[in-house]
Amino acid sequence: MKERQNEILELDYPHFLFLSPDSWVLYVLHLKDKNLHIILGPIPEQDRTEKLQHLIRLCNWLFQSNDTYTLPQPKTYTLLREENVQESQDLSLVHIYYEREFNHFPLIHGEYLKSRMLAGDLKAIQDFFDSYSNILKLASENIELAKGDQLRSSKNHLIAACGIACSFALEGGVDDEYARTLADQFILKAESIQTRSDYIKLVRDIFLKFTSSVIEFSNPDYSTLVISTIHYMHTHFFEKLTLDDVARKLGRSPSYISDKLNKETGQSFNENLNQIRIKESKQLLIHTQKSINEIAIAVGFDYQNYFARVFKKIVGVTPLQYRNKRGLS
């Protein structure tokens, strides 16, 4: 419209059609005396109907107060397409299959990882990365995902691996918000890697963590109610969570949920909740410099002393001993 502005102002046409290369139409009502344009659209050209023409007449009538006004044939303008997007490179099958060495991580290994994740087989995941870390390293070296920047390329490979692990976990029944938030945390952590060995270690941690989440969220021996209860605890453990809160959320009685948890998990509601909180606190103790009290509050405990007692009962050592044993002060 800006390009045709002078031409439009010189003509007496009350409205115009702008036709785009994608078969879309902009109806423009020009109110010269008020220096206004009313733009209707974009509208698919194939769907033009008398209703649209009537709408333009109505707009004219409202502004011109002339109910005898008849709509003449509009002036039509054609909009040219701006070709700014470059087409993707057409890859030759000959080039892919006959002129290049093996690059990508073999599909059979990916299928194996997926099957072991869905089965919750942590040992198999650990053994896999112990045995095939060289293949992972080779794939990341041969496929450049950031031109001229090897470290950025490794980070991009890691982000791609995180997306794959997250999709496997979601397929295994892990809560959507939990899985995606976990993926976000790993992607942020990817930016801190400095070496290829960091890359391999973090990929391993990603698959182990998502496998653990499959175990926690999708035990096949649990009923739907118990799985829903555990899901809720995993996503609300940091709150002042009670059995009554969960019962109201799930629409069941507290006593019924308590009985089902005891029967299927062998633990009470509070014992299950504490297991989740302590597991999360172990990650904070290892990977952050937060104080013991800050960690206690972060995972849902009101008091550091109570947190320390529960931690020692479950883990066998105090939070500080657990942290020191792993080289963090």
Side-chain angles (χ1 to χ4, degrees):
M1 283 185 62
K2 287 183 179 180
E3 292 176 358
R4 301 294 186 102
Q5 185 174 10
N6 292 335
E7 179 183 347
I8 290 172
L9 291 174
E10 291 174 0
L11 298 175
D12 292 328
Y13 286 96
H15 68 291
F16 309 89
L17 296 180
F18 283 86
L19 307 180
S20 79
D22 302 308
S23 298
W24 288 85
V25 179
L26 291 173
Y27 287 81
V28 182
L29 177 62
H30 175 45
L31 305 174
K32 184 178 288 190
D33 59 330
K34 300 183 183 298
N35 196 28
L36 290 174
H37 292 92
I38 298 177
I39 301 176
L40 309 177
I43 305 160
E45 186 177 2
Q46 62 269 29
D47 292 337
R48 268 188 295 170
T49 65
E50 179 59 29
K51 290 182 179 179
L52 297 175
Q53 298 285 349
H54 177 72
L55 184 58
I56 296 175
R57 290 190 183 94
L58 180 60
C59 289
N60 267 292
W61 179 81
L62 288 172
F63 282 91
Q64 297 187 15
S65 299
N66 181 3
D67 56 3
T68 62
Y69 177 76
T70 57
L71 195 67
Q73 186 66 24
K75 178 76 174 179
T76 301
Y77 296 95
T78 300
L79 304 179
L80 300 177
R81 181 191 299 275
E82 293 185 7
E83 302 290 350
N84 292 326
V85 180
Q86 295 182 353
E87 294 185 2
S88 299
Q89 181 182 0
D90 186 15
L91 296 177
S92 164
L93 293 180
V94 173
H95 175 63
I96 292 174
Y97 290 111
Y98 296 97
E99 296 179 1
R100 294 174 64 177
E101 299 291 335
F102 156 76
N103 280 333
H104 289 85
F105 190 68
L107 180 61
I108 188 171
H109 292 327
E111 291 295 330
Y112 175 79
L113 271 177
K114 179 179 179 180
S115 69
R116 293 303 84 206
M117 280 186 65
L118 297 183
D121 193 342
L122 281 169
K123 185 178 185 306
I125 298 295
Q126 290 174 327
D127 292 343
F128 176 88
F129 281 97
D130 290 342
S131 302
Y132 292 102
S133 61
N134 286 337
I135 293 181
L136 281 169
K137 185 172 182 291
L138 181 64
S140 70
E141 288 175 347
N142 288 350
I143 303 172
E144 189 179 64
L145 295 185
K147 196 168 183 63
D149 188 339
Q150 284 291 339
L151 184 58
R152 180 69 258 170
S153 181
S154 292
K155 293 177 181 180
N156 290 344
H157 275 285
L158 197 147
I159 291 169
C162 185
I164 292 170
C166 181
S167 68
F168 290 168
L170 289 170
E171 189 172 336
V174 175
D175 177 76
D176 178 84
E177 184 64 20
Y178 181 87
R180 294 178 187 276
T181 301
L182 187 59
D184 291 343
Q185 292 174 350
F186 276 120
I187 289 171
L188 288 173
K189 197 171 183 179
E191 295 304 320
S192 66
I193 66 171
Q194 297 298 322
T195 65
R196 289 297 176 85
S197 60
D198 291 340
Y199 157 73
I200 298 296
K201 182 180 182 301
L202 191 50
V203 171
R204 179 179 181 272
D205 290 346
I206 286 171
F207 278 88
L208 285 173
K209 182 61 177 178
F210 275 112
T211 302
S212 295
S213 68
V214 171
I215 297 171
E216 294 164 359
F217 279 85
S218 305
N219 191 314
D221 296 328
Y222 293 166
S223 63
T224 301
L225 176 61
V226 168
I227 290 175
S228 297
T229 302
I230 293 174
H231 278 205
Y232 194 81
M233 285 193 284
H234 268 289
T235 52
H236 295 81
F237 68 87
F238 45 85
E239 301 173 1
K240 296 185 185 301
L241 193 62
T242 67
L243 177 58
D244 288 342
D245 294 331
V246 179
R248 281 194 297 272
K249 179 68 178 180
L250 300 181
R252 308 300 287 268
S253 72
S255 60
Y256 184 67
I257 292 178
S258 179
D259 290 343
K260 293 287 284 184
L261 281 171
N262 274 298
K263 182 178 179 181
E264 295 183 27
T265 70
Q267 294 182 317
S268 67
F269 173 84
N270 284 333
E271 287 171 333
N272 274 285
L273 182 57
N274 284 339
Q275 287 281 355
I276 294 170
R277 286 172 167 169
I278 295 305
K279 183 169 185 179
E280 293 296 328
S281 72
K282 288 163 69 176
Q283 295 298 314
L284 294 176
L285 286 165
I286 295 173
H287 298 298
T288 77
Q289 294 294 332
K290 291 181 180 293
S291 69
I292 304 298
N293 187 54
E294 288 174 325
I295 291 173
I297 294 172
V299 298
F301 289 97
D302 290 331
Y303 305 104
Q304 179 177 332
N305 290 342
Y306 179 57
F307 164 63
R309 287 201 303 272
V310 174
F311 191 97
K312 186 171 183 178
K313 181 180 178 181
I314 293 175
V315 182
V317 296
T318 67
L320 186 57
Q321 289 170 333
Y322 183 84
R323 168 174 276 179
N324 289 340
K325 187 178 180 181
R326 282 152 181 79
L328 292 177
S329 57

